[in-house]
Amino acid sequence: MERAVGFLVLPLVFFASQINCQEAILHISNESTNKEYCIVHNQSWTPLSQTLDDALQYPLVNMTFTVLCNTSGVVPGVVKGKALVVMRGDCDFSQKALVAQSLGATTLLIASKTLLITPSANDSEYAKISIPLALMRYRDFIEAQQVFSGRMQVKLYAPPHPKIDASIIVMLLIAIVTVALGGFWSGTCERDRMNGDGGGGESKADPKELFLYSPLKVVIFVAMMCGMLVLMYFFYNIMVHFIIAIFCLASASALFSCVDAVMEILSCPSGSFSIKNYNFSVRSLILAAVCISIAVVWGVYRNEDRWIWILQDFLGVAFCLNFMKTISLSNFKICVILLSLLLVYDVFFVFITPFFTKNGVSIMVQVALGPDASGEKTHGNMVEVPAEPQAPSEKLPVVMRVPRFSAWAQNLCGMQFSILGYGDIIIPGLLVAYCSRFDVWINSSRKIYFVSCCIAYLLGMIVTFAVMLLSGMGQPALLYLVPFTLTASAVVAACRGEMRQFWAGTTYMREELMAP
């Protein structure tokens, strides 16, 4: 079951991306309280201050009874020196701004019941406007009226959005720790099997593990991944629920395996009882109930972006660890074939497929984000933010997600995440696990292969993030991880004069294949 689940989930490899946004913050306050709301502005108009302290404060005047396409019905003395909020519609943004400016207003807020977009105008119009202009959600203004029953003071500011966010560091730590733990676990299990077999240097394969030892099987495996990804692209709305259900089962099982292994190391008592000649472990029953409950909680609250990412990452780490321990590559030749094919797979579905899709978005991105993903959408520097709450769009649980901590304005408009696909952890992790097992086979006390492959993975991840930040676009991580890890492993084997043994891998696997 776990093997089938792994084959279904693994094809969905994703990468982290950075968004260039023009969201800003509306700070509303009175004598006793304050609150902040999302607004969308355009730097081509009058720029906003970058900090709350530097922003100018103005009284807010409610003029949502008008669209302010002309001065009729507006008393200049009421709005002079104040910020206005008017309704969207009937005329363009520049005309509203010119009217507000002529009345002596200092700031113009446009309340919208429809999609918020970056307010734009002809280039010649920008120079005529000297007051800040921004769009806000109409429902936010209604809420503000309820919160601030009396007079409201407003400030508009746009915090800078640094390219290097702390979420990248957290993502890097999650990836390298998961890969290192998975490789170490695989090597420990191999040592236990060899010790259990009398320490003769060879061991019997664990029946719970799946060994990839045939190039043909590797090719079939990758072909299945391609087919699964294409099916997800064309039948996303149907298959996404199937993948979510599979993930709940797989993550609960993986979490059980991981925690049970830790409890074994800690020598936690299991306790047992019998019912009609069937033996039950109290520890296993309690642990299974807890793991299933955690997976169910994730399944129920999976669209709660504010906090569910913690649980998804927790289950994701367990899934990746269990996958690396369960799926074993029997030799370096299989590692080279598998990782090379998946490198081509990743690059093709990220860089090549946009030339064939209708909307110009790669199949990999479309599947990972979902075709109907709610929240913020961007087109270059143009931003779109829903004005009303959207029905949650189902997303595939195949990525690590960490909120962008410095994107405060963007998070007010809709949670922004740095994301990394499970495949970018699992695929190189299988090579790291093989290196860890090889260290056991050659009785390497320094774990030279395992350590060098982990370092190569860390360097590959750093290069991936660096290229992403420099280019401003998401990158297929395997494009950098595969060359780094394969090259490092091969160089170590060549320098130690063990390439032939490293390439051939284990002998017990071949012996078992030849056994009747």
Side-chain angles (χ1 to χ4, degrees), residues 339-351:
L339 270 67
S340 299
L341 288 177
L342 290 176
L343 168 61
V344 175
Y345 159 90
D346 205 15
V347 171
F348 175 80
F349 281 106
V350 171
F351 288 145

Side-chain angles (χ1 to χ4, degrees), residues 243-359:
I243 296 297
I244 288 172
I246 290 295
F247 177 76
C248 287
L249 295 173
S251 60
S253 175
L255 185 59
F256 178 90
S257 297
C258 294
V259 178
D260 188 59
V262 173
M263 296 180 78
E264 284 290 337
I265 295 174
L266 298 176
S267 301
C268 295
S270 60
S272 61
F273 62 94
S274 301
I275 298 179
K276 294 183 179 180
N277 298 324
Y278 290 98
N279 293 324
F280 297 92
S281 168
V282 176
R283 187 184 75 186
S284 297
L285 290 176
I286 295 175
L287 181 57
V290 171
C291 294
I292 292 173
S293 298
I294 292 175
V296 169
V297 169
W298 176 85
V300 173
Y301 296 100
R302 62 186 179 276
N303 292 314
E304 297 288 337
D305 280 343
R306 296 289 171 179
W307 61 272
I308 202 64
W309 62 271
I310 300 174
L311 201 54
Q312 180 169 323
D313 289 353
F314 181 66
L315 293 173
V317 168
F319 176 83
C320 293
L321 289 174
N322 194 57
F323 196 102
M324 285 186 281
K325 181 247 182 185
T326 304
I327 307 297
S328 298
L329 306 182
S330 58
N331 53 58
F332 189 59
K333 179 178 72 174
I334 295 299
C335 293
V336 171
I337 295 173
L338 178 64
L339 270 67
S340 299
L341 288 177
L342 290 176
L343 168 61
V344 175
Y345 159 90
D346 205 15
V347 171
F348 175 80
F349 281 106
V350 171
F351 288 145
I352 307 301
T353 54
F355 295 104
F356 306 105
T357 56
K358 293 181 180 180
N359 56 2

Side-chain angles (χ1 to χ4, degrees), residues 468-486:
M468 180 192 72
L469 295 174
L470 292 174
S471 65
M473 1 175 354
Q475 299 294 313
L478 294 184
L479 179 61
Y480 309 98
L481 297 176
V482 169
F484 267 87
T485 53
L486 285 179

